[in-house]
C-alpha cells in the first residue's frame, strides 16, 4: 500500500513518533523530537503527531501532552538511563492497535535504540513512509569495553542495514551527516535540520542585578563571576576535567580573584554525590555548588545569571542543546571541539574551543576570560546573534514540513 492522496494537500498528515525516551524523561534527542514535532503542529495545522514511547518514569499509559497523544508501554532498563528494550508483547499489541490510525509517516530517532532496527519495516507494513533522524556523529561509548565493542558491532551491522531502508533521513547537525555518509556508508541523501531553541525564552538581563542561584538559596553580588555547567552529570560529559580545572585555578589564582569565582554544576546523574565529596575534601563548598536536576525554567534562570558556560564533554555528541541555550543567554562559552560544535563555535569569534580531556586548557580559558571580559562579551554577543538567526526550532520544523508535505 502506497501513500494515498488523501494524506496530503489540505488533509491531515499523521505522524507516529516511535522513541524510547520521551516526556517526562529528559535528554537531548528526546528534546529535539518533542520540540520539532510540537513546532510542526503549531506551524502547520495539517500535521498531527502521536507518540509511542517506553514507560521509563511510571507515567500514565495514555496521556495528552502538548497536542501529542502519548502511548507508553512497559520496558526493561538494560543500561540505566541509556538503553531500554520494550516488553515485546506490549509492543506488538500496541503496534497492531496503532496500525488502524492511517499514518502517513512513522518517525524514529537515534540508531542506538531498537526502533531504528524495525520502524522502517513497520512503516511499509502499514503503508506509510519511514523517517529517521540522526543525532550522534560517532559510535556508542561506554566505560565497559565489552559494551562499547558490542555497541560498535551493532552500529556497523544491524543499524547500518536498517538505515539504508528508510524513506527519509534527517540529521540534527552536519557532523552527524558526515559520519553517516563517510563511516557508516549511508548512500541516501540526508537533510540537515539543525537543533534549535526558542530564542525569546532566553535573556541575560538578570546579571546586572542581585542574582539568586536557583535551587541553592544563594545570592550573588554583581562582582561575582558565575561559571556554569548544565547537563547530565556523567563521566562522558567530562565533569571530572572541569573539577580538575577548578583545583588548578585554586592553586594558580590570587585569593581575591579566587573568591570572585562561583562554579555551578546542574543536572541529574551518577557523579553528583561523588562531586559533593570532592568539594568537601577540597574545602570549596562556598565556591562550588552542585544543584542536581533543575526544571527547564530554573535552567533558563541559571543561564541568565551566568557569565561563563563550560562544556567539557569528552565524546562526540553532535551539538548539545545547552550550548545554544547558554549562547542565547549571552554567556561566554568554553567548550571542547567535538561533534558538530565547531559549526557553532568559531574559536576567538564566538567562543573558546579547547581539547578533550584537558583540565589545563579549561583553566587557561577561564583565566583568559577573567583578563579579557570586554572582548569575551563581544564574542558572546556574536554567538547570541548567530543562534537567534540560524538555530531555532521554527527553522528546523520548516525543513521537515517542506520535505514531508
Amino acid at each position: 500500500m502506497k501513500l494515498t492522496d488523501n494524506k496530503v494537500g489540505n488533509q491531515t498528515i499523521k505522524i507516529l513518533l516511535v522513541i524510547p525516551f520521551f516526556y517526562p524523561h529528559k535528554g537531548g534527542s528526546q528534546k529535539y523530537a518533542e520540540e520539532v514535532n510540537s513546532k510542526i503542529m503549531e506551524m502547520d495545522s495539517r500535521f498531527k503527531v502521536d507518540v509511542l514511547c517506553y514507560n521509563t518514569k511510571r507515567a500514565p499509559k495514555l496521556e495528552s501532552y502538548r497536542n501529542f497523544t502519548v502511548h507508553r508501554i512497559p520496558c526493561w532498563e538494560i543500561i540505566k538511563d541509556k538503553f531500554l528494550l520494550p516488553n515485546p508483547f506490549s509492543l506488538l499489541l500496541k503496534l497492531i492497535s496503532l496500525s488502524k490510525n492511517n499514518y502517513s509517516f512513522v518517525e524514529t530517532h537515534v540508531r542506538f535504540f531498537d526502533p531504528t532496527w524495525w520502524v522502517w519495516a513497520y512503516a511499509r507494513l502499514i503503508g506509510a513512509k519511514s523517517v529517521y533522524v540522526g543525532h550522534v556523529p560517532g559510535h556508542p561509548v561506554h566505560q565497559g569495553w565489552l559494551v562499547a565493542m558490542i555497541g560498535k558491532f551493532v552500529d556497523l551491522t544491524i543499524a547500518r542495514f536498517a538505515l539504508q531502508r528508510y524513506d527519509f533521513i534527517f540529521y540534527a547537525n552536519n557532523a552527524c551527516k558526515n559520519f553517516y555518509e563517510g563511516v557508516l556508508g549511508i548512500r541516501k541523501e540526508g537533510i540537515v535540520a539543525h537543533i534549535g531553541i526558542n530564542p525569546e525564552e532566553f535573556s541575560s538581563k538578570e546579571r546586572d542585578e542581585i542574582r539568586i542561584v536557583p535551587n541553592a538559596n544563594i545570592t550573588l553580588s554583581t562582582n561575582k563571576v558565575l561559571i556554569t555547567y548544565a547537563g547530565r552529570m556523567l563521566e562522558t560529559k567530562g565533569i571530572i576535567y572541569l573539577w580538575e580545572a577548578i583545583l588548578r585555578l585554586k592553586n594558580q589564582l590570587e585569593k581575591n580573584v579566587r573568591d570572585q569565582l562561583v562554579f555551578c554544576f546542574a543536572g541529574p546523574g551518577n557523579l553528583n554525590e561523588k562531586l559533593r565529596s570532592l568539594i568537601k575534601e577540597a574545602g570549596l563548598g562556598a565556591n562550588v555548588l552542585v544543584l542536581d536536576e533543575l526544571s527547564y525554567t530554573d535552567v533558563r534562570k541559571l543561564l541568565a545569571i551566568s557569565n561563563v558556560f563550560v562544556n567539557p564533554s569528552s565524546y562526540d555528541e553532535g551539538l548539545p542543546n545547552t550550548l545554544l541555550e547558554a549562547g542565547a543567554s549571552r554567556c561566554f562559552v568554553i567548550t571542547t571541539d567535538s561533534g558538530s560544535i565547531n559549526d557553532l563555535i568559531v574559536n576567538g569569534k564566538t567562543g573558546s574551543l579547547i581539547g578533550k580531556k584537558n583540565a589545563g586548557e579549561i583553566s587557561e580559558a577561564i583565566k583568559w576570560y577573567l583578563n579579557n571580559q570586554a572582548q569575551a562579551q563581544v564574542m558572546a554577543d556574536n554567538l547570541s546573534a548567530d543562534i537567534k538567526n540560524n538555530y531555532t526550532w521554527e527553522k528546523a520544523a520548516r525543513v521537515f514540513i517542506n520535505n514531508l508535505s
Side-chain angles (χ1 to χ4, degrees):
M1 178 179 173
K2 301 295 184 181
L3 252 176
T4 54
D5 291 338
N6 68 347
K7 294 185 179 180
V8 295
N10 294 321
Q11 301 300 314
T12 299
I13 303 174
K14 299 184 73 174
I15 298 174
L16 176 61
L17 169 62
V18 183
I19 187 167
F21 293 104
F22 196 73
Y23 171 84
H25 183 92
K26 296 180 181 179
S29 59
Q30 171 261 304
K31 183 174 181 63
Y32 182 101
E34 178 181 326
E35 295 296 338
V36 167
N37 281 286
S38 177
K39 186 63 72 173
I40 287 171
M41 290 188 286
E42 177 187 321
M43 292 170 60
D44 193 325
S45 61
R46 295 175 301 165
F47 283 87
K48 176 68 177 74
V49 183
D50 294 341
V51 179
L52 172 58
C53 63
Y54 304 164
N55 202 345
T56 60
K57 299 290 185 178
R58 297 184 180 179
K61 293 180 180 179
L62 183 65
E63 183 178 9
S64 178
Y65 167 71
R66 294 186 67 182
N67 292 324
F68 298 102
T69 299
V70 183
H71 303 262
R72 299 185 180 93
I73 60 172
C75 63
W76 299 302
E77 196 169 30
I78 308 301
I79 302 175
K80 184 173 176 55
D81 292 328
K82 290 186 177 182
F83 186 73
L84 311 166
L85 285 176
N87 179 305
F89 301 106
S90 299
L91 176 63
L92 181 60
L93 290 174
K94 181 59 70 173
L95 289 175
I96 292 172
S97 173
L98 292 172
S99 68
K100 303 170 186 177
N101 288 354
N102 198 34
Y103 292 111
S104 306
F105 301 97
V106 186
E107 170 190 339
T108 193
H109 293 239
V110 185
R111 68 189 188 278
F112 306 152
F113 302 132
D114 71 283
T116 298
W117 311 337
W118 53 262
V119 156
W120 63 272
Y122 177 70
R124 290 185 186 182
L125 283 173
I126 66 172
K129 296 291 185 181
S130 54
V131 178
Y132 171 81
V133 184
H135 293 259
V136 183
H139 295 300
V141 294
H142 192 270
Q143 284 183 297
W145 67 270
L146 181 59
V147 174
M149 285 188 62
I150 292 172
K152 185 174 181 179
F153 174 77
V154 172
D155 210 15
L156 293 171
T157 54
I158 299 172
R160 180 158 59 184
F161 172 85
L163 289 169
Q164 302 280 18
R165 282 149 181 81
Y166 278 83
D167 296 301
F168 295 89
I169 295 182
F170 294 85
Y171 299 109
N173 55 77
N174 289 319
C176 186
K177 183 176 188 292
N178 294 337
F179 179 83
Y180 276 58
E181 294 175 353
V183 178
L184 296 182
I186 304 304
R187 296 183 297 275
K188 183 178 292 293
E189 183 63 30
I191 306 157
V192 176
H194 283 292
I195 191 171
I197 60 168
N198 295 316
E200 66 277 3
E201 295 179 350
F202 299 90
S203 70
S204 60
K205 63 181 180 181
E206 296 178 37
R207 276 179 218 145
D208 298 326
E209 307 166 2
I210 298 298
R211 298 173 291 172
I212 300 175
V213 179
N215 209 34
N217 196 28
I218 292 175
T219 299
L220 301 179
S221 59
T222 55
N223 69 321
K224 295 287 188 180
V225 176
L226 180 56
I227 301 171
T228 292
Y229 165 82
R232 288 176 293 170
M233 297 287 288
L234 305 173
E235 289 83 356
T236 54
K237 293 293 186 177
I239 305 301
I240 196 65
Y241 300 104
L242 177 53
W243 169 246
E244 290 175 1
I246 293 171
L247 295 179
R248 285 171 177 258
L249 292 170
K250 177 186 177 184
N251 296 324
Q252 294 171 353
L253 298 177
E254 298 291 335
K255 184 178 185 303
N256 64 317
V257 178
R258 291 200 310 267
D259 289 345
Q260 293 179 10
L261 304 185
V262 177
F263 293 85
C264 280
F265 292 82
N270 58 14
L271 291 182
N272 287 2
E273 292 308 314
K274 178 180 179 180
L275 186 56
R276 283 193 177 95
S277 297
L278 293 172
I279 292 167
K280 185 176 180 180
E281 290 175 12
L284 290 174
N287 297 88
V288 186
L289 309 174
V290 180
L291 304 181
D292 294 322
E293 184 172 5
L294 299 180
S295 68
Y296 186 53
T297 297
D298 281 343
V299 169
R300 297 203 309 266
K301 289 180 180 178
L302 177 61
L303 294 175
I305 65 173
S306 297
N307 303 90
V308 178
F309 183 86
V310 180
N311 172 50
S313 182
S314 57
Y315 82 108
D316 292 332
E317 56 177 322
L319 181 57
N321 198 262
T322 49
L323 280 187
L324 298 177
E325 295 168 350
S329 302
R330 298 177 61 241
C331 298
F332 176 67
V333 170
I334 299 169
T335 177
T336 49
D337 186 2
S338 62
S340 200
I341 287 173
N342 57 21
D343 286 343
L344 178 70
I345 304 299
V346 179
N347 194 42
K349 181 177 179 182
T350 56
S352 177
L353 288 174
I354 57 175
K356 300 177 188 176
K357 302 181 179 181
N358 197 320
E361 289 195 26
I362 297 175
S363 61
E364 288 302 314
I366 292 173
K367 286 194 291 185
W368 182 90
Y369 169 83
L370 295 174
N371 293 322
N372 300 275
Q373 293 188 41
Q375 185 179 348
Q377 193 55 56
V378 171
M379 295 161 64
D381 291 342
N382 290 341
L383 177 58
S384 179
D386 183 34
I387 291 169
K388 291 175 180 179
N389 288 331
N390 298 303
Y391 293 87
T392 68
W393 293 126
E394 183 175 346
K395 281 183 174 290
R398 179 57 62 191
V399 173
F400 281 85
I401 292 170
N402 288 345
N403 284 278
L404 300 182
S405 60

